[in-house]
Protein backbone atom coordinates (compact mmCIF):
# COMPACT_ATOMS: atom_id res chain seq x y z
CA UNK A 1 0.00 0.00 0.00
CA UNK A 2 2.84 2.36 0.91
CA UNK A 3 4.63 1.67 -2.40
CA UNK A 4 1.39 2.27 -4.29
CA UNK A 5 0.92 5.64 -2.60
CA UNK A 6 4.53 6.61 -3.41
CA UNK A 7 3.95 5.64 -7.03
CA UNK A 8 0.81 7.75 -7.17
CA UNK A 9 2.59 10.87 -5.94
CA UNK A 10 5.30 10.36 -8.53
CA UNK A 11 2.82 10.40 -11.42
CA UNK A 12 2.80 13.23 -13.96
CA UNK A 13 -0.95 13.57 -13.43
CA UNK A 14 -0.41 14.02 -9.69
CA UNK A 15 2.15 16.78 -10.24
CA UNK A 16 -0.13 18.50 -12.74
CA UNK A 17 -3.03 18.23 -10.32
CA UNK A 18 -1.04 19.84 -7.51
CA UNK A 19 0.07 22.61 -9.89
CA UNK A 20 -3.47 23.41 -11.00
CA UNK A 21 -4.83 23.09 -7.46
CA UNK A 22 -2.17 25.53 -6.22
CA UNK A 23 -3.09 27.97 -8.99
CA UNK A 24 -6.75 27.79 -7.98
CA UNK A 25 -5.87 28.48 -4.34
CA UNK A 26 -3.68 31.44 -5.30
CA UNK A 27 -6.48 32.74 -7.52
CA UNK A 28 -8.92 32.52 -4.61
CA UNK A 29 -6.54 34.48 -2.37
CA UNK A 30 -6.02 37.10 -5.07
CA UNK A 31 -9.81 37.35 -5.34
CA UNK A 32 -10.08 38.14 -1.65
CA UNK A 33 -7.42 40.86 -1.99
CA UNK A 34 -9.09 42.38 -5.06
CA UNK A 35 -12.52 42.38 -3.40
CA UNK A 36 -11.08 44.04 -0.30
CA UNK A 37 -9.42 46.84 -2.28
CA UNK A 38 -12.52 47.48 -4.38
CA UNK A 39 -14.78 47.47 -1.33
CA UNK A 40 -12.54 50.00 0.43
CA UNK A 41 -12.10 52.31 -2.56
CA UNK A 42 -15.72 52.38 -3.72
CA UNK A 43 -18.86 53.38 -1.88
CA UNK A 44 -21.24 50.62 -0.89
CA UNK A 45 -23.55 51.55 -3.78
CA UNK A 46 -20.68 51.64 -6.28
CA UNK A 47 -19.36 48.28 -5.12
CA UNK A 48 -22.85 46.85 -5.50
CA UNK A 49 -23.07 48.24 -9.05
CA UNK A 50 -19.62 46.84 -9.86
CA UNK A 51 -20.64 43.37 -8.65
CA UNK A 52 -23.95 43.58 -10.52
CA UNK A 53 -22.26 44.60 -13.78
CA UNK A 54 -19.84 41.66 -13.59
CA UNK A 55 -22.68 39.25 -12.78
CA UNK A 56 -24.68 40.50 -15.78
CA UNK A 57 -21.71 40.08 -18.14
CA UNK A 58 -20.89 36.60 -16.86
CA UNK A 59 -24.53 35.51 -16.91
CA UNK A 60 -24.95 36.51 -20.55
CA UNK A 61 -21.59 34.91 -21.37
CA UNK A 62 -22.90 31.50 -20.20
CA UNK A 63 -25.12 31.39 -23.28
CA UNK A 64 -22.32 32.19 -25.75
CA UNK A 65 -20.70 28.79 -25.92
CA UNK A 66 -23.18 26.69 -27.89
CA UNK A 67 -21.23 23.53 -27.02
CA UNK A 68 -18.42 24.55 -29.36
CA UNK A 69 -15.79 24.84 -26.62
CA UNK A 70 -16.54 21.43 -25.08
CA UNK A 71 -16.46 19.91 -28.56
CA UNK A 72 -13.18 21.67 -29.36
CA UNK A 73 -11.67 20.41 -26.12
CA UNK A 74 -12.44 16.81 -27.04
CA UNK A 75 -11.25 17.16 -30.67
CA UNK A 76 -7.96 18.63 -29.41
CA UNK A 77 -7.59 15.77 -26.92
CA UNK A 78 -7.91 13.31 -29.83
CA UNK A 79 -5.36 15.16 -32.00
CA UNK A 80 -2.49 13.04 -33.32
CA UNK A 81 0.25 15.67 -33.22
CA UNK A 82 1.23 18.99 -31.64
CA UNK A 83 0.91 20.71 -35.00
CA UNK A 84 -2.67 19.49 -35.32
CA UNK A 85 -3.39 20.77 -31.80
CA UNK A 86 -2.07 24.21 -32.70
CA UNK A 87 -4.09 24.32 -35.93
CA UNK A 88 -7.18 23.33 -33.96
CA UNK A 89 -6.43 26.12 -31.49
CA UNK A 90 -6.17 28.57 -34.39
CA UNK A 91 -9.53 27.33 -35.67
CA UNK A 92 -11.10 27.75 -32.23
CA UNK A 93 -9.72 31.29 -31.91
CA UNK A 94 -11.31 32.19 -35.25
CA UNK A 95 -14.64 30.64 -34.16
CA UNK A 96 -14.47 32.31 -30.76
CA UNK A 97 -13.90 35.68 -32.41
CA UNK A 98 -17.26 35.33 -34.19
CA UNK A 99 -18.95 34.24 -30.96
CA UNK A 100 -17.31 37.15 -29.11
CA UNK A 101 -18.66 39.67 -31.61
CA UNK A 102 -22.17 38.29 -31.12
CA UNK A 103 -21.72 38.46 -27.35
CA UNK A 104 -20.47 42.06 -27.49
CA UNK A 105 -23.46 43.11 -29.60
CA UNK A 106 -25.81 41.42 -27.13
CA UNK A 107 -24.25 43.30 -24.19
CA UNK A 108 -24.53 46.54 -26.19
CA UNK A 109 -28.25 45.99 -26.81
CA UNK A 110 -28.82 44.93 -23.20
CA UNK A 111 -27.11 48.10 -21.97
CA UNK A 112 -29.88 50.16 -23.59
CA UNK A 113 -32.58 48.54 -21.45
CA UNK A 114 -30.93 47.27 -18.26
CA UNK A 115 -31.42 50.42 -16.18
CA UNK A 116 -35.17 50.42 -16.79
CA UNK A 117 -35.45 46.69 -16.09
CA UNK A 118 -33.43 46.56 -12.86
CA UNK A 119 -33.66 50.20 -11.72
CA UNK A 120 -29.86 50.54 -11.77
CA UNK A 121 -27.40 53.00 -13.27
CA UNK A 122 -24.93 50.83 -15.20
CA UNK A 123 -26.35 51.04 -18.72
CA UNK A 124 -23.86 53.67 -19.88
CA UNK A 125 -20.94 51.69 -18.42
CA UNK A 126 -22.01 48.47 -20.12
CA UNK A 127 -22.45 50.36 -23.39
CA UNK A 128 -18.89 51.69 -23.14
CA UNK A 129 -17.54 48.26 -22.17
CA UNK A 130 -19.41 46.33 -24.86
CA UNK A 131 -16.62 46.35 -27.50
CA UNK A 132 -14.15 44.98 -24.92
CA UNK A 133 -16.30 42.17 -23.50
CA UNK A 134 -15.54 40.18 -26.64
CA UNK A 135 -12.76 38.65 -24.49
CA UNK A 136 -15.08 36.75 -22.12
CA UNK A 137 -15.87 33.80 -24.44
CA UNK A 138 -12.12 33.48 -25.04
CA UNK A 139 -11.64 32.83 -21.32
CA UNK A 140 -13.90 29.76 -21.46
CA UNK A 141 -12.48 28.64 -24.80
CA UNK A 142 -8.83 28.74 -23.72
CA UNK A 143 -9.61 26.86 -20.50
CA UNK A 144 -11.34 24.12 -22.51
CA UNK A 145 -8.63 23.83 -25.18
CA UNK A 146 -5.75 23.83 -22.70
CA UNK A 147 -7.50 21.04 -20.83
CA UNK A 148 -7.90 19.06 -24.05
CA UNK A 149 -4.25 19.51 -25.04
CA UNK A 150 -3.13 18.70 -21.46
CA UNK A 151 -1.26 22.01 -21.26
CA UNK A 152 -1.82 22.14 -17.50
CA UNK A 153 1.06 24.54 -16.88
CA UNK A 154 -0.47 27.10 -19.26
CA UNK A 155 -3.92 26.47 -17.79
CA UNK A 156 -2.56 27.07 -14.28
CA UNK A 157 -0.95 30.31 -15.46
CA UNK A 158 -4.19 31.42 -17.11
CA UNK A 159 -6.05 30.66 -13.88
CA UNK A 160 -3.88 33.13 -11.96
CA UNK A 161 -2.78 35.81 -14.46
CA UNK A 162 -6.06 37.72 -15.04
CA UNK A 163 -6.62 38.33 -11.35
CA UNK A 164 -2.92 38.98 -10.70
CA UNK A 165 -2.82 41.60 -13.48
CA UNK A 166 -6.03 43.12 -12.13
CA UNK A 167 -4.64 43.34 -8.58
CA UNK A 168 -1.47 45.06 -9.83
CA UNK A 169 -3.55 47.48 -11.94
CA UNK A 170 -5.75 48.38 -8.95
CA UNK A 171 -2.73 49.01 -6.72
CA UNK A 172 -1.15 51.26 -9.37
CA UNK A 173 -4.43 53.15 -9.86
CA UNK A 174 -4.71 53.75 -6.12
CA UNK A 175 -1.11 54.97 -5.95
CA UNK A 176 -1.44 57.31 -8.95
CA UNK A 177 -4.87 58.79 -8.26
CA UNK A 178 -8.02 56.98 -7.13
CA UNK A 179 -10.28 54.11 -8.06
CA UNK A 180 -13.76 54.77 -9.44
CA UNK A 181 -16.52 52.45 -10.54
CA UNK A 182 -15.74 53.20 -14.18
CA UNK A 183 -11.97 52.76 -13.86
CA UNK A 184 -12.13 49.50 -11.91
CA UNK A 185 -14.57 47.98 -14.41
CA UNK A 186 -12.34 48.93 -17.32
CA UNK A 187 -9.27 47.63 -15.51
CA UNK A 188 -11.08 44.34 -14.85
CA UNK A 189 -11.79 43.81 -18.54
CA UNK A 190 -8.49 45.26 -19.79
CA UNK A 191 -6.36 43.00 -17.59
CA UNK A 192 -8.40 39.98 -18.70
CA UNK A 193 -7.66 40.97 -22.30
CA UNK A 194 -3.96 41.30 -21.47
CA UNK A 195 -3.78 37.86 -19.82
CA UNK A 196 -5.74 36.27 -22.68
CA UNK A 197 -3.51 37.78 -25.37
CA UNK A 198 -0.44 36.62 -23.43
CA UNK A 199 -1.70 33.03 -23.17
CA UNK A 200 -2.69 33.09 -26.83
CA UNK A 201 0.84 34.12 -27.81
CA UNK A 202 2.44 31.49 -25.56
CA UNK A 203 0.16 28.76 -26.97
CA UNK A 204 1.37 29.61 -30.52
CA UNK A 205 -1.75 28.79 -32.58
CA UNK A 206 -1.44 28.02 -36.29
CA UNK A 207 -3.97 29.80 -38.52
CA UNK A 208 -4.14 27.58 -41.56
CA UNK A 209 -6.25 24.68 -42.71
CA UNK A 210 -9.03 25.82 -40.42
CA UNK A 211 -11.85 25.12 -42.91
CA UNK A 212 -11.59 21.33 -42.65
CA UNK A 213 -10.87 21.43 -38.93
CA UNK A 214 -13.89 23.65 -38.29
CA UNK A 215 -16.05 21.00 -39.96
CA UNK A 216 -14.75 18.39 -37.50
CA UNK A 217 -15.42 20.66 -34.55
CA UNK A 218 -18.94 21.48 -35.73
CA UNK A 219 -19.69 17.78 -36.21
CA UNK A 220 -18.47 17.08 -32.68
CA UNK A 221 -20.61 19.97 -31.46
CA UNK A 222 -23.74 18.44 -33.01
CA UNK A 223 -23.14 14.97 -31.59
CA UNK A 224 -21.60 15.91 -28.25
CA UNK A 225 -21.06 19.59 -27.48
CA UNK A 226 -24.69 20.65 -27.74
CA UNK A 227 -25.65 18.19 -24.98
CA UNK A 228 -22.92 19.52 -22.69
CA UNK A 229 -24.13 23.03 -23.48
CA UNK A 230 -27.76 22.31 -22.62
CA UNK A 231 -26.75 20.60 -19.37
CA UNK A 232 -24.50 23.51 -18.42
CA UNK A 233 -27.28 26.02 -19.05
CA UNK A 234 -29.61 24.05 -16.77
CA UNK A 235 -26.92 23.91 -14.07
CA UNK A 236 -26.18 27.63 -14.29
CA UNK A 237 -29.84 28.66 -14.24
CA UNK A 238 -30.51 26.65 -11.07
CA UNK A 239 -27.22 27.54 -9.36
CA UNK A 240 -27.81 29.64 -6.26
CA UNK A 241 -31.41 28.52 -5.75
CA UNK A 242 -30.49 27.55 -2.18
CA UNK A 243 -29.46 31.09 -1.24
CA UNK A 244 -32.44 32.64 -2.96
CA UNK A 245 -34.84 30.40 -1.04
CA UNK A 246 -32.94 30.79 2.24
CA UNK A 247 -33.24 34.54 1.81
CA UNK A 248 -36.96 34.22 1.04
CA UNK A 249 -37.85 31.85 3.89
CA UNK A 250 -35.25 32.69 6.57
CA UNK A 251 -33.79 36.13 5.84
CA UNK A 252 -30.42 37.65 4.92
CA UNK A 253 -28.68 36.66 8.17
CA UNK A 254 -29.22 32.96 7.42
CA UNK A 255 -27.81 33.47 3.91
CA UNK A 256 -24.62 34.83 5.49
CA UNK A 257 -24.33 31.88 7.87
CA UNK A 258 -24.90 29.35 5.07
CA UNK A 259 -22.41 31.14 2.80
CA UNK A 260 -19.70 30.82 5.46
CA UNK A 261 -20.33 27.06 5.70
CA UNK A 262 -20.20 26.74 1.91
CA UNK A 263 -17.01 28.80 1.71
CA UNK A 264 -15.24 26.40 4.08
CA UNK A 265 -16.48 23.17 2.46
CA UNK A 266 -16.24 23.98 -1.25
CA UNK A 267 -12.41 23.67 -1.44
CA UNK A 268 -12.74 19.96 -0.57
CA UNK A 269 -13.70 19.17 -4.17
CA UNK A 270 -11.28 21.66 -5.72
CA UNK A 271 -8.36 19.24 -6.01
CA UNK A 272 -10.68 16.57 -7.44
CA UNK A 273 -11.60 18.99 -10.24
CA UNK A 274 -7.91 19.70 -10.82
CA UNK A 275 -7.18 15.96 -11.07
CA UNK A 276 -10.09 15.41 -13.48
CA UNK A 277 -8.81 18.25 -15.67
CA UNK A 278 -5.25 16.90 -15.63
CA UNK A 279 -6.25 13.39 -16.79
CA UNK A 280 -8.97 14.41 -19.27
CA UNK A 281 -6.80 13.79 -22.33
CA UNK A 282 -5.52 10.48 -21.01
CA UNK A 283 -9.10 9.30 -20.50
CA UNK A 284 -9.79 9.52 -24.26
CA UNK A 285 -7.59 6.44 -24.75
CA UNK A 286 -8.63 4.58 -21.58
CA UNK A 287 -11.44 2.03 -21.35
CA UNK A 288 -11.86 2.64 -17.61
CA UNK A 289 -10.63 4.93 -14.83
CA UNK A 290 -7.27 3.65 -13.50
CA UNK A 291 -7.36 2.65 -9.85
CA UNK A 292 -4.40 4.92 -9.06
CA UNK A 293 -6.47 8.01 -9.94
CA UNK A 294 -9.47 6.84 -7.94
CA UNK A 295 -7.22 6.11 -4.95
CA UNK A 296 -5.54 9.52 -5.15
CA UNK A 297 -8.92 11.24 -5.32
CA UNK A 298 -10.29 9.20 -2.42
CA UNK A 299 -7.26 9.87 -0.20
CA UNK A 300 -7.55 13.61 -0.82
CA UNK A 301 -11.28 13.73 -0.13
CA UNK A 302 -10.97 11.62 3.03
CA UNK A 303 -8.11 13.73 4.38
CA UNK A 304 -9.66 17.09 3.49
CA UNK A 305 -13.08 16.18 4.90
CA UNK A 306 -11.60 14.83 8.14
CA UNK A 307 -9.40 17.90 8.60
CA UNK A 308 -12.32 20.27 8.05
CA UNK A 309 -14.60 18.47 10.51
CA UNK A 310 -11.87 18.58 13.16
CA UNK A 311 -10.94 22.22 12.53
CA UNK A 312 -14.40 23.61 11.71
CA UNK A 313 -14.96 25.42 15.01
CA UNK A 314 -11.48 26.97 14.97
CA UNK A 315 -11.79 28.09 11.35
CA UNK A 316 -15.25 29.64 11.75
CA UNK A 317 -14.33 31.61 14.86
CA UNK A 318 -10.85 32.63 13.66
CA UNK A 319 -11.70 33.62 10.09
CA UNK A 320 -15.32 34.75 10.33
CA UNK A 321 -15.69 35.48 14.09
CA UNK A 322 -18.14 33.96 16.56
CA UNK A 323 -21.04 35.77 14.84
CA UNK A 324 -21.16 32.85 12.40
CA UNK A 325 -21.03 30.10 15.01
CA UNK A 326 -24.34 28.68 13.74
CA UNK A 327 -22.59 27.64 10.52
CA UNK A 328 -21.13 24.71 12.46
CA UNK A 329 -24.52 22.97 12.44
CA UNK A 330 -24.53 22.48 8.66
CA UNK A 331 -20.81 22.01 7.99
CA UNK A 332 -20.88 18.18 8.43
CA UNK A 333 -23.65 17.76 5.83
CA UNK A 334 -22.10 20.26 3.42
CA UNK A 335 -18.79 18.43 3.85
CA UNK A 336 -20.52 15.22 2.77
CA UNK A 337 -22.04 16.97 -0.25
CA UNK A 338 -18.58 18.27 -1.21
CA UNK A 339 -17.17 14.74 -0.92
CA UNK A 340 -19.86 13.51 -3.32
CA UNK A 341 -19.03 16.44 -5.62
CA UNK A 342 -15.37 15.43 -5.56
CA UNK A 343 -16.15 11.76 -6.22
CA UNK A 344 -18.14 12.80 -9.27
CA UNK A 345 -15.27 14.62 -10.98
CA UNK A 346 -13.31 11.68 -12.42
CA UNK A 347 -16.45 9.96 -13.72
CA UNK A 348 -17.67 13.22 -15.24
CA UNK A 349 -14.32 13.78 -16.96
CA UNK A 350 -14.23 10.19 -18.25
CA UNK A 351 -17.71 10.46 -19.77
CA UNK A 352 -16.86 13.78 -21.42
CA UNK A 353 -13.58 12.38 -22.77
CA UNK A 354 -15.57 9.59 -24.44
CA UNK A 355 -18.11 11.98 -25.94
CA UNK A 356 -21.05 10.95 -23.75
CA UNK A 357 -22.71 14.35 -23.92
CA UNK A 358 -26.23 12.95 -23.59
CA UNK A 359 -25.31 11.22 -20.33
CA UNK A 360 -23.81 14.41 -18.90
CA UNK A 361 -26.87 16.40 -19.98
CA UNK A 362 -29.24 13.87 -18.36
CA UNK A 363 -27.32 14.05 -15.10
CA UNK A 364 -27.39 17.85 -15.12
CA UNK A 365 -31.14 17.94 -15.62
CA UNK A 366 -31.82 15.29 -12.96
CA UNK A 367 -29.51 16.70 -10.28
CA UNK A 368 -30.62 20.29 -10.95
CA UNK A 369 -34.23 19.20 -10.54
CA UNK A 370 -33.41 17.51 -7.24
CA UNK A 371 -31.56 20.65 -6.19
CA UNK A 372 -34.42 23.07 -6.84
CA UNK A 373 -37.22 20.82 -5.55
CA UNK A 374 -35.19 19.72 -2.53
CA UNK A 375 -34.34 23.29 -1.60
CA UNK A 376 -37.92 24.48 -1.97
CA UNK A 377 -39.39 21.67 0.15
CA UNK A 378 -36.66 21.18 2.75
CA UNK A 379 -35.67 24.79 3.45
CA UNK A 380 -39.29 25.64 4.17
CA UNK A 381 -39.56 22.67 6.57
CA UNK A 382 -36.10 22.48 8.17
CA UNK A 383 -34.31 25.77 7.52
CA UNK A 384 -30.55 25.69 6.93
CA UNK A 385 -30.38 21.99 7.75
CA UNK A 386 -32.87 21.39 4.95
CA UNK A 387 -30.66 23.27 2.49
CA UNK A 388 -27.69 21.12 3.53
CA UNK A 389 -29.73 17.91 3.12
CA UNK A 390 -30.81 19.09 -0.34
CA UNK A 391 -27.14 19.59 -1.26
CA UNK A 392 -26.31 16.02 -0.15
CA UNK A 393 -29.25 14.65 -2.15
CA UNK A 394 -28.26 16.67 -5.24
CA UNK A 395 -24.67 15.46 -5.39
CA UNK A 396 -25.61 12.00 -4.12
CA UNK A 397 -28.03 11.55 -7.03
CA UNK A 398 -25.37 12.89 -9.38
CA UNK A 399 -22.87 10.38 -7.99
CA UNK A 400 -25.27 7.46 -8.43
CA UNK A 401 -25.97 8.51 -12.02
CA UNK A 402 -22.26 8.93 -12.72
CA UNK A 403 -21.63 5.37 -11.52
CA UNK A 404 -24.49 4.05 -13.67
CA UNK A 405 -23.41 5.84 -16.85
CA UNK A 406 -19.76 5.03 -16.23
CA UNK A 407 -20.51 1.30 -16.01
CA UNK A 408 -22.67 1.55 -19.10
CA UNK A 409 -19.85 3.28 -20.99
CA UNK A 410 -17.21 0.78 -19.82
CA UNK A 411 -19.42 -2.14 -20.86
CA UNK A 412 -19.96 -0.61 -24.32
CA UNK A 413 -16.21 -0.10 -24.76
CA UNK A 414 -15.54 -3.75 -23.84
CA UNK A 415 -18.12 -4.89 -26.41
CA UNK A 416 -16.53 -2.71 -29.11
CA UNK A 417 -13.03 -4.03 -28.33
CA UNK A 418 -14.29 -7.62 -28.38
Amino acid sequence: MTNQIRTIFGLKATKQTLLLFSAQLVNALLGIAVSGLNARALSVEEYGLFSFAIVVILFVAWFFDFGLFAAGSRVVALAKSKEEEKRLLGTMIFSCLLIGVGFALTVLVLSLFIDSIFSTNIGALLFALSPLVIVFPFQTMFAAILRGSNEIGKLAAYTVLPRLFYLVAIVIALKVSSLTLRSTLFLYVATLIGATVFIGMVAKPIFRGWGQLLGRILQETKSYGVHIYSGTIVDNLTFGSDKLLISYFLGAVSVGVYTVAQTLTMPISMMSRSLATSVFREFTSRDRIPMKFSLLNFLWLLGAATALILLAKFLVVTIFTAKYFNALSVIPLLTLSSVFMGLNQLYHSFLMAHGKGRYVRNMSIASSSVNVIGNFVLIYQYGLMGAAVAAVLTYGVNYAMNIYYYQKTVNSLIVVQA
Side-chain angles (χ1 to χ4, degrees):
M1 180 69 174
T2 303
N3 290 335
Q4 191 173 12
I5 293 175
R6 287 176 181 172
T7 301
I8 287 172
F9 283 94
L11 293 171
K12 176 185 176 182
T14 304
K15 296 174 182 177
Q16 288 182 326
T17 299
L18 292 173
L19 175 62
L20 187 55
F21 177 60
S22 299
Q24 291 171 338
L25 284 178
V26 170
N27 186 53
L29 293 174
L30 290 172
I32 293 172
V34 163
S35 297
L37 289 174
N38 272 327
R40 289 172 181 269
L42 304 176
S43 68
V44 175
E45 182 182 4
E46 287 176 329
Y47 186 65
L49 289 173
F50 169 81
S51 301
F52 183 68
I54 298 300
V55 165
V56 168
I57 293 171
L58 293 177
F59 179 80
V60 177
W62 283 341
F63 296 91
F64 283 82
D65 176 333
F66 310 114
L68 196 71
F69 303 153
S73 179
R74 186 167 186 276
V75 172
V76 168
L78 294 170
K80 303 300 183 184
S81 66
K82 282 293 180 183
E83 182 181 350
E84 185 181 359
E85 288 178 16
K86 293 182 183 299
R87 288 197 292 117
L88 283 164
L89 175 58
T91 304
M92 287 301 299
I93 289 175
F94 172 77
S95 304
C96 194
L97 183 62
L98 298 179
I99 291 175
V101 170
F103 173 59
L105 290 174
T106 302
V107 171
L108 187 149
V109 172
L110 180 62
S111 70
L112 303 176
F113 305 98
I114 193 165
D115 288 345
S116 59
I117 296 173
F118 292 98
S119 300
T120 60
N121 190 29
I122 62 167
L125 280 173
L126 287 180
F127 184 88
L129 278 173
S130 59
L132 301 179
V133 299
I134 192 174
V135 70
F136 281 87
F138 279 90
Q139 190 173 25
T140 307
M141 184 276 290
F142 271 116
I145 300 305
L146 293 174
R147 179 189 65 182
S149 62
N150 200 234
E151 298 280 0
I152 302 303
K154 293 184 180 70
L155 180 56
Y158 194 43
T159 300
V160 173
L161 285 180
R163 197 160 272 169
L164 177 61
F165 287 176
Y166 184 40
L167 177 61
V168 172
I170 288 177
V171 171
I172 293 174
L174 289 171
K175 292 289 185 181
V176 172
S177 57
S178 61
L179 200 65
T180 64
L181 172 60
R182 184 182 184 85
S183 64
T184 196
L185 270 173
F186 272 89
L187 287 175
Y188 179 91
V189 180
T191 50
L192 176 57
I193 292 173
T196 302
V197 170
F198 175 79
I199 289 297
M201 293 173 63
V202 170
K204 298 179 180 178
I206 297 175
F207 296 97
R208 69 170 184 267
W210 59 267
Q212 180 183 3
L213 295 174
L214 181 59
R216 284 171 53 188
I217 294 170
L218 291 176
Q219 184 60 42
E220 188 70 21
T221 302
K222 292 177 183 178
S223 62
Y224 163 70
V226 68
H227 302 298
I228 300 297
Y229 174 69
S230 58
T232 301
I233 291 299
V234 171
D235 285 339
N236 288 335
L237 289 176
T238 57
F239 179 78
S241 64
D242 50 359
K243 292 178 183 177
L244 289 174
L245 290 169
I246 288 171
S247 176
Y248 180 77
F249 288 123
L250 306 175
V253 172
S254 294
V255 175
V257 171
Y258 194 74
T259 300
V260 165
Q262 279 189 325
T263 301
L264 289 175
T265 56
M266 287 297 288
I268 291 174
S269 63
M270 191 181 294
M271 189 168 177
S272 299
R273 288 195 296 273
S274 299
L275 175 61
T277 298
S278 299
V279 299
F280 173 78
R281 180 166 189 161
E282 183 175 342
F283 279 170
T284 61
S285 59
R286 293 275 190 175
D287 61 0
R288 64 185 67 244
I289 298 173
M291 180 58 69
K292 58 189 177 184
F293 296 148
S294 297
L295 179 59
L296 174 61
N297 193 36
F298 175 76
L299 289 174
W300 160 257
L301 291 171
L302 179 63
T306 302
L308 179 59
I309 293 297
L310 294 176
L311 297 173
K313 182 177 179 180
F314 170 78
L315 292 173
V316 168
V317 174
T318 303
I319 299 174
F320 300 100
T321 75
K323 292 187 297 183
Y324 296 95
F325 196 81
N326 288 340
L328 293 172
S329 63
V330 294
I331 282 179
L333 281 174
L334 289 181
T335 298
L336 179 58
S337 73
S338 290
V339 168
F340 275 131
M341 190 190 306
L343 290 171
N344 287 333
Q345 299 304 313
L346 285 177
Y347 296 108
H348 192 78
S349 182
F350 183 87
L351 293 173
M352 291 181 69
H354 285 274
K356 302 301 181 181
R358 292 179 185 274
Y359 295 170
V360 175
R361 178 203 61 193
N362 293 344
M363 288 189 291
S364 293
I365 293 173
S367 56
S368 295
S369 299
V370 171
N371 183 33
V372 173
I373 296 171
N375 279 319
F376 188 84
V377 173
L378 295 174
I379 292 173
Y380 176 75
Q381 291 288 332
Y382 304 106
L384 292 184
M385 195 63 71
V389 171
V392 173
L393 290 175
T394 297
Y395 292 109
V397 167
N398 196 264
Y399 179 62
M401 294 185 72
N402 266 296
I403 293 292
Y404 169 75
Y405 283 126
Y406 169 71
Q407 291 296 338
K408 190 173 181 179
T409 301
V410 168
N411 290 339
S412 68
L413 292 173
I414 292 174
V415 170
V416 170
Q417 290 174 356

